[in-house]
Amino acid sequence: MNSFKFENDKVVKEVVVEYMTFGTPKYNGDGEIINAIVYCPGSLGSFSGINKILPFTQKNDPFDRSKYFFISLSPLGSPGSCSPSTTNLKNKFPKYSILDVVNFQKQFLKEKFNINHILGLIGNSMGGFVGLTQAINFPDFQEFIICGVSSYKVAGHDFILSKFVDEIITSDPDYAKGELSYSLIRTLRLACLAEFNFGLSHEFLREMDKSVLSCEFEDFGNEMLETDIYDLKYCNESCMYYDVENDLDKIKSKVLIISSKHDPHFPTELDGIPMSKMIKNSELIIMDSKLGHLCFNELENIYDELNEFMSGFS
């Protein structure tokens, strides 16, 4: 894209968008694609996040690629697309909101594919924030939303986690310099390690041998060193005050909520169930997965439910 204008009126030019497509586009009489499904990954996720549904895209599967045209992009703020790291703006990158992520995606769909309406959106974790925000602000833009291991707001322990990560990062004096230093690398690792405990379920972690768990903890911190600290800071901040509770009644799309009973971020009783009651045209699937927040890696366990939901959009 030539440029993108943020909610705060800041503009970034020569915008890079990383994406992939697969499936079978179908067109109306005006030559417009009518069967597009957009995939939105979690925090700092890339277009490759769509791999989670690839096993279910064969003939007669829920996401049969002969029926649908899939578009997956690395969202605003994620490395690969327009972000603090790819623009090299670092801490001078414009602050962005979840609505900015939505507008960035919509602008790309229009400019690249001339798409003004999509069949649906599948959002995982932060991608669920994007889906709900889009359905609220552009209620006629999509027919359905699949909102997985996500919520209508960041609150309680999840809000405190975001605040804690932000505090770790901003407490490093080198952060304001906008240049990578040994101190910032150490700070990045600590900030990422703070999030380790919120992926897998309490049950899964408790069953692990302590020596194995310690190794997993260390490995996670080392792997996350590939993350750009400014990408992490901006993404974390964009989610911290996310709250669409009072606007859920604006949603016209059919919504499938996939909740994980053992999700440390968004437990079913606090997020999935209340959200399903507040969104009129919604269905709720509760997964009993020890993978917790990572239960999208076990979608085969709800294959029949996904098939039934998608049968309404064939």
Side-chain angles (χ1 to χ4, degrees), residues 223-282:
E223 290 170 6
M224 293 303 290
L225 289 177
E226 296 182 9
T227 305
D228 184 275
I229 194 168
Y230 297 98
D231 288 349
L232 176 62
K233 169 68 166 65
Y234 276 73
C235 182
N236 181 66
E237 192 172 11
S238 73
C239 296
M240 196 185 309
Y241 294 97
Y242 165 78
D243 185 346
V244 295
E245 181 174 359
N246 294 330
D247 295 316
L248 293 176
D249 59 347
K250 297 177 182 178
I251 296 177
K252 295 181 181 179
S253 310
K254 188 168 184 179
V255 179
L256 177 64
I257 301 165
I258 302 174
S259 181
S260 175
K261 187 184 299 184
H262 307 289
D263 183 355
H265 275 286
F266 306 116
T268 300
E269 67 275 11
L270 298 179
D271 295 281
I273 292 174
M275 180 160 57
S276 69
K277 293 178 179 178
M278 289 185 281
I279 300 177
K280 296 175 185 176
N281 194 15
S282 66

Side-chain angles (χ1 to χ4, degrees), residues 1-14:
M1 300 189 298
N2 289 330
S3 65
F4 176 73
K5 186 176 182 179
F6 293 72
E7 273 195 283
N8 56 22
D9 291 330
K10 301 290 185 180
V11 176
V12 173
K13 297 182 178 180
E14 298 181 4

Side-chain angles (χ1 to χ4, degrees), residues 199-229:
L200 297 165
S201 70
H202 298 308
E203 294 81 1
F204 190 96
L205 293 179
R206 190 177 182 87
E207 291 173 4
M208 292 180 69
D209 179 82
K210 289 182 180 178
S211 61
V212 175
L213 184 56
S214 294
C215 288
E216 291 289 331
F217 181 70
E218 291 297 318
D219 288 346
F220 180 81
N222 294 336
E223 290 170 6
M224 293 303 290
L225 289 177
E226 296 182 9
T227 305
D228 184 275
I229 194 168

Side-chain angles (χ1 to χ4, degrees), residues 93 128 159 235:
F93 190 80
F159 173 72
C235 182

Side-chain angles (χ1 to χ4, degrees), residues 89-237:
L89 289 173
K90 302 296 183 179
N91 59 344
K92 294 181 175 61
F93 190 80
K95 290 185 178 181
Y96 63 89
S97 64
I98 297 298
L99 182 56
D100 280 320
V101 179
V102 170
N103 289 332
F104 179 87
Q105 182 171 273
K106 286 184 82 270
Q107 182 178 328
F108 169 75
L109 293 174
K110 172 61 178 176
E111 292 185 11
K112 183 66 181 181
F113 299 100
N114 192 32
I115 289 178
N116 297 297
H117 180 87
I118 61 174
L119 182 61
L121 181 150
I122 303 171
N124 174 47
S125 191
M126 177 180 165
F129 297 174
V130 176
L132 293 176
T133 301
Q134 179 173 283
I136 288 167
N137 288 274
F138 306 97
D140 298 314
F141 186 70
Q142 61 284 305
E143 303 301 315
F144 74 83
I145 298 289
I146 296 180
C147 180
V149 285
S150 192
S151 183
Y152 54 94
K153 66 179 178 181
V154 170
H157 68 283
D158 208 56
F159 173 72
I160 293 301
L161 173 62
S162 295
K163 289 286 288 182
F164 184 46
V165 169
D166 191 74
E167 179 73 16
I168 291 172
I169 294 173
T170 56
S171 65
D172 190 323
D174 284 357
Y175 174 80
K177 298 177 182 178
E179 298 177 1
L180 192 62
S181 66
Y182 175 80
S183 177
L184 275 184
I185 293 173
R186 179 178 179 277
T187 296
L188 169 64
R189 189 171 187 276
L190 289 174
C192 292
L193 286 174
E195 299 187 353
F196 176 83
N197 201 38
F198 287 80
L200 297 165
S201 70
H202 298 308
E203 294 81 1
F204 190 96
L205 293 179
R206 190 177 182 87
E207 291 173 4
M208 292 180 69
D209 179 82
K210 289 182 180 178
S211 61
V212 175
L213 184 56
S214 294
C215 288
E216 291 289 331
F217 181 70
E218 291 297 318
D219 288 346
F220 180 81
N222 294 336
E223 290 170 6
M224 293 303 290
L225 289 177
E226 296 182 9
T227 305
D228 184 275
I229 194 168
Y230 297 98
D231 288 349
L232 176 62
K233 169 68 166 65
Y234 276 73
C235 182
N236 181 66
E237 192 172 11

